[in-house]
């Protein structure tokens, strides 16, 4: 998309700046909101126990670059080599164009740094790729939990907790409540944080909150086929969308059996050589529990 946009900008230089803006506005097709949302990365399960320890053109370029940085768990992992012992590979995007001016980049390690960065050959801007935050709700109601059946890929037709990317200008709790409203049509009261799960392979961090329905009404949003309350022994673990959901729900059930929910921190690592679609191919490392 960026290369096509560069060609469009080059061809439009013979026209006025206003006509250039019209060309860009008419020809660029931005992704709908649901295509740029977070959808959890497929992660996994331990074998021994449930868990182991310039102007218009510049602004358009920036927007397209930001959109192209969005990825999801199942179909966007392009790993590069890494010396990190906790995972065999880490997702690193090679940016070809500058996010500030649209100029071409070179990939070098800047002075005083230790990682390869995209450096603009025109303005000198250095692009830093940082993890994204995913927020969602685990909703308790009458000893049941609310799940949504996905109406979009990846994992179409599979069940998940309502969750998505945190937006600018909102807190984690506000984002989790918003995602629940969008995906399940439910108004919720956030009760407490339940889990923080890091996924270094794709640069994502999940924060899942326990929440309660303000009213017993809920209905599927555009990203959901249906929403349903499940008793704990009816949760469709074989039909969950992502391993992050497996981890969260297993931890929740274990906590209830032990007496009450706790706060969990952990790192989800994919087992080497397994398919992203295998939701049980993971380990939960550095698992910390706070009561």
């Amino acid at each position: 998309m960026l290369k096509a946009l560069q060609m469009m900008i080059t061809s439009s230089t013979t026209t006025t700046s206003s006509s250039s803006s019209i060309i860009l506005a008419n020809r660029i097709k931005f992704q709908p909101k649901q295509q740029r949302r977070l959808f959890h990365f497929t992660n996994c399960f331990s074998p021994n126990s449930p868990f182991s320890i310039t102007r218009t053109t510049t602004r358009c370029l920036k927007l397209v670059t930001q959109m192209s940085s969005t990825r999801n768990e199942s179909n966007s992992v392009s790993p590069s080599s890494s010396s990190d012992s906790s995972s065999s590979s880490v997702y690193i995007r090679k940016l070809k164009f500058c996010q500030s001016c649209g100029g071409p980049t070179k990939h070098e390690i800047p002075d005083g740094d230790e990682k390869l960065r995209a450096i603009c050959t025109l303005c000198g801007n250095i692009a830093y790729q940082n993890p994204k935050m995913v927020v969602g709700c685990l909703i308790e109601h009458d000893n049941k939990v609310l799940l949504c059946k996905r109406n979009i890929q990846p994992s179409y037709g599979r069940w998940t907790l309502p969750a998505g990317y945190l937006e600018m200008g909102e807190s984690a709790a506000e984002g989790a409540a918003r995602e629940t409203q969008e995906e399940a049509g439910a108004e919720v009261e956030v009760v407490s944080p339940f889990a923080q799960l890091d996924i270094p392979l794709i640069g994502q961090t999940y924060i899942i909150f326990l929440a309660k329905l303000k009213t017993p009404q809920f209905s599927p949003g555009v990203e959901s086929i249906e929403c349903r309350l499940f008793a704990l022994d009816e949760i469709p673990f074989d039909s969950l969308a992502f391993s992050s959901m497996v981890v969260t729900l297993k931890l929740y059930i274990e906590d209830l059996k032990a007496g009450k929910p706790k706060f969990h921190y952990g790192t989800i690592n994919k087992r080497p050589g397994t398919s992203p679609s295998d939701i049980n191919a993971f380990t939960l490392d550095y698992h910390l529990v706070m009561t």
Side-chain angles (χ1 to χ4, degrees), residues 73-266:
E73 291 186 6
S74 296
N75 61 5
S76 61
V77 179
S78 299
S80 62
S81 61
S82 171
S83 59
D84 187 355
S85 61
S86 65
S87 60
S88 60
S89 56
V90 176
Y91 183 98
I92 299 294
R93 282 178 56 251
K94 284 198 171 183
L95 301 175
K96 295 182 179 180
F97 301 102
C98 177
Q99 297 181 5
S100 294
C101 73
T105 63
K106 60 181 179 180
H107 291 82
E108 296 178 353
I109 299 176
D111 293 340
D113 205 334
E114 57 185 20
K115 293 183 180 294
L116 198 67
R117 312 286 188 186
I119 306 173
C120 182
T121 58
L122 298 183
C123 72
N125 180 70
I126 302 174
Y128 295 93
Q129 299 187 54
N130 305 113
K132 292 184 175 293
M133 183 177 290
V134 181
V135 292
C137 286
L138 196 169
I139 300 155
E140 312 164 298
H141 185 76
D142 290 340
N143 298 315
K144 299 179 179 181
V145 296
L146 183 63
L147 298 180
C148 302
K149 180 178 283 190
R150 291 172 57 80
N151 192 35
I152 54 176
Q153 294 291 357
S155 298
Y156 175 89
R158 288 181 167 264
W159 295 93
T160 181
L161 297 172
Y165 283 127
L166 181 67
E167 300 281 6
M168 296 294 291
E170 64 184 4
S171 69
E174 290 170 339
R178 172 186 52 76
E179 287 291 339
T180 302
Q181 170 63 43
E182 292 177 357
E183 296 183 9
E187 297 287 342
V188 298
E189 175 187 351
V190 172
V191 176
S192 64
F194 174 69
Q196 177 180 333
L197 301 171
D198 295 338
I199 311 178
L201 181 68
I202 57 169
Q204 293 179 356
T205 289
Y206 283 74
I207 297 181
I208 304 296
F209 293 89
L210 295 180
K212 295 184 180 295
L213 292 172
K214 291 183 177 180
T215 64
Q217 284 78 39
F218 54 86
S219 60
V222 295
E223 296 177 4
S224 303
I225 298 172
E226 64 175 304
C227 303
R228 188 192 304 178
L229 288 166
F230 287 89
L232 299 185
D233 59 356
E234 297 175 344
I235 293 174
F237 280 100
D238 291 338
S239 299
L240 293 179
F242 310 109
S243 300
S244 50
M245 300 296 101
V246 176
V247 172
T248 301
L249 291 167
K250 289 284 187 179
L251 288 173
Y252 178 70
I253 292 174
E254 289 184 357
D255 282 359
L256 291 189
K257 290 180 178 178
K260 65 176 183 178
K262 306 175 182 66
F263 178 76
H264 299 265
Y265 169 80

Side-chain angles (χ1 to χ4, degrees), residues 47-69:
N48 300 321
S49 65
F51 302 103
S52 355
I53 287 268
T54 66
R55 307 187 265 290
T56 302
T57 54
T58 299
R59 288 195 297 271
C60 288
L61 271 171
K62 186 180 295 186
L63 179 55
V64 172
T65 303
Q66 291 169 348
M67 291 194 310
S68 68
S69 69

Side-chain angles (χ1 to χ4, degrees), residues 13-70:
T13 54
T14 58
T15 65
T16 64
S17 60
S18 60
S19 61
S20 175
S21 300
I22 294 173
I23 291 172
L24 287 171
N26 288 336
R27 295 183 64 180
I28 300 173
K29 302 224 178 259
F30 298 111
Q31 299 178 10
K33 185 176 183 180
Q34 62 263 34
Q35 296 301 320
R36 60 180 176 83
R37 306 182 73 75
L38 154 80
F39 301 111
H40 335 280
F41 184 56
T42 51
N43 309 299
C44 20
F45 232 65
S46 170
N48 300 321
S49 65
F51 302 103
S52 355
I53 287 268
T54 66
R55 307 187 265 290
T56 302
T57 54
T58 299
R59 288 195 297 271
C60 288
L61 271 171
K62 186 180 295 186
L63 179 55
V64 172
T65 303
Q66 291 169 348
M67 291 194 310
S68 68
S69 69
T70 302

